[in-house]
């Protein structure tokens, strides 16, 4: 059994529509524990740093604008194979391609306004968690 941590964001389309509880219920039903969570207004600098890997993509400006357009909820999730388990419950990036019953199939509005972010590897999870949480804010 491999207990992992992963990083999650409930994006502005989720806070705007007041569906953060509904999304958290799906996360918890997938066997993941929310071991840290806070609602923040992301700054432009934070969003640009977080998504630096996408800085050359044509949608980068739109992505930063969206992520700073309303509060987000940043989270640390813990569980067995948490990175993959979270990616499974999120569904495909584009909700049009997401499996039935996934968060993005149920709630996402578009590929940009896609409700949730999740780390793509354990290595990136550690980097992303460290951008938003100090160790004593994570209580497993
Ligand atoms: P996320 O998992 O947060 O990582 C990068 C984000 O870029 C991704 O989710 C999408 O929300 C966003 N994204 C990917 N492709 C597009 C696109 N074509 N237009 C706008 N946003 C996109």
């Amino acid at each position: 059994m491999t207990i992992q941590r992963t990083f999650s964001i409930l994006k502005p389309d989720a806070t705007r529509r007041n569906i953060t509880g509904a999304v958290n219920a799906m996360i918890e039903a997938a066997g993941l524990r929310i071991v840290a969570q806070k609602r923040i207004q992301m700054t432009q600098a934070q969003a640009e740093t977080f998504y630096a890997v996408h800085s050359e993509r044509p949608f980068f400006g739109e992505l930063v604008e969206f992520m700073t357009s309303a509060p987000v909820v940043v989270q640390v999730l813990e569980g067995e194979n948490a990175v993959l388990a979270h990616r499974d419950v999120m569904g495909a990036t584009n909700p049009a391609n997401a499996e039935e019953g996934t968060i993005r199939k149920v709630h996402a509005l578009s590929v940009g306004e896609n409700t949730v972010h999740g780390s793509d590897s354990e290595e990136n999870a550690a980097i992303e968690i460290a951008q938003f949480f100090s160790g004593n804010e994570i209580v497993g």
Side-chain angles (χ1 to χ4, degrees), residues 9 11 50-51 54 57-60 62-63 66-67 87 90 93 104 110-119:
I9 305 177
K11 295 188 180 186
F50 185 75
Y51 282 119
H54 297 302
R57 307 284 280 275
F59 57 81
F60 182 66
E62 191 184 317
L63 177 59
F66 170 58
M67 293 300 290
R87 293 186 76 75
M90 285 195 300
T93 303
R104 285 167 170 159
S110 66
V111 68
E113 300 200 20
N114 66 351
T115 312
V116 281
H117 164 83
S119 307

Side-chain angles (χ1 to χ4, degrees), residues 1-137:
M1 191 158 105
T2 313
I3 298 294
Q4 282 182 335
R5 286 178 175 173
T6 191
F7 180 73
S8 161
I9 305 177
L10 311 187
K11 295 188 180 186
D13 66 283
T15 59
R16 223 180 252 130
R17 288 180 289 157
N18 203 27
I19 58 170
T20 60
V23 175
N24 277 349
M26 294 176 80
I27 289 169
E28 291 181 342
L32 293 160
R33 305 181 73 83
I34 301 166
V35 295
Q37 173 171 257
K38 57 189 172 188
R39 184 176 172 109
I40 62 165
Q41 173 63 53
M42 223 186 250
T43 64
Q44 181 161 340
Q46 280 177 316
E48 285 175 355
T49 299
F50 185 75
Y51 282 119
V53 67
H54 297 302
S55 62
E56 301 303 319
R57 307 284 280 275
F59 57 81
F60 182 66
E62 191 184 317
L63 177 59
V64 170
E65 190 179 342
F66 170 58
M67 293 300 290
T68 56
S69 68
V72 299
V73 178
V74 290
Q75 304 175 314
V76 181
L77 309 179
E78 188 176 88
E80 196 174 339
N81 293 315
V83 172
L84 259 183
H86 186 220
R87 293 186 76 75
D88 282 350
V89 73
M90 285 195 300
T93 303
N94 186 340
N97 302 326
E99 296 278 333
E100 290 296 332
T102 60
I103 293 168
R104 285 167 170 159
K105 182 68 176 185
V106 173
H107 292 295
L109 302 174
S110 66
V111 68
E113 300 200 20
N114 66 351
T115 312
V116 281
H117 164 83
S119 307
D120 62 6
S121 67
E122 197 171 18
E123 186 187 357
N124 283 336
I127 294 167
E128 293 176 357
I129 289 168
Q131 190 184 339
F132 291 97
F133 291 97
S134 58
N136 64 5
E137 291 180 301

